[in-house]
Amino acid sequence: LPQEIFAACSVRLHQPQPRVTLGLALRGIAHSAIDISDGLLADLGHVVENSRVGAEIEFDALPCSSAVRALARPVGLKPELQWEALIQHCILAGGDDYELCFTVPVVLRAEIEKIAAALAVPLTRIGKIVQGCGCTVYSADGKTMQVKESGYDHFA
């Protein structure tokens, strides 16, 4: 990464802010919750696999620093450049975020907004749980994004 972007990301990497208070506030509301330590797709993959459901993720909805987001253009615009694919991989499969990924019924969205306001923690809806299996990621134009790796595998 360019030095100025690396410096900003490095603080979050080396001084994570685990969302313990948020996790406690989600008790009785969330159907599932997991911290993102091994990559979003890997950790959400554990949830959907064990719940026997699928997940549809909107890539452009994923929280990300504006500096890193600017580097993540849809793959295919310039086939000779692999930088965009690398940044997309980092956003989807990179780990050590220590943010919570959780599922809540749509009818409880107002409750989630109250929790976010009370804790002063920005929360973002990144997709939805669907019938099926696995995680599917969609680009802004509605096309399925191809992702080769889902994140860190402790047993590989």
Side-chain angles (χ1 to χ4, degrees), residues 75-148:
V75 175
L77 291 179
K78 296 180 181 177
E80 70 277 9
L81 296 178
Q82 293 302 309
W83 181 250
E84 292 89 355
L86 176 62
I87 296 301
Q88 288 177 1
H89 171 80
C90 290
I91 292 170
L92 293 167
D96 296 325
D97 296 296
Y98 302 104
E99 292 292 343
L100 291 183
C101 179
F102 58 91
T103 61
V104 174
V106 174
V107 298
L108 296 177
R109 187 173 292 166
E111 291 298 317
I112 295 301
E113 291 171 0
K114 288 178 189 174
I115 290 171
L119 299 178
V121 173
L123 301 178
T124 306
R125 182 181 178 273
I126 63 168
K128 61 185 176 182
I129 299 299
V130 296
Q131 290 183 355
C133 61
C135 299
T136 305
V137 182
Y138 293 97
S139 61
D141 61 4
K143 293 182 180 174
T144 302
M145 295 174 63
Q146 300 301 315
V147 182
K148 294 180 182 175

Side-chain angles (χ1 to χ4, degrees), residues 1-9 63-73 83 87 91:
L1 292 174
Q3 184 58 35
E4 65 278 3
I5 297 173
F6 177 79
C9 293
C64 182
S65 74
S66 58
V68 172
R69 173 73 62 199
L71 300 173
R73 296 177 198 89
W83 181 250
I87 296 301
I91 292 170

Side-chain angles (χ1 to χ4, degrees), residues 18-19 24 37 40 42 46 75 86 97 100 110:
R19 302 298 187 188
L24 293 171
S37 57
L40 172 64
H46 298 312
V75 175
L86 176 62
D97 296 296
L100 291 183

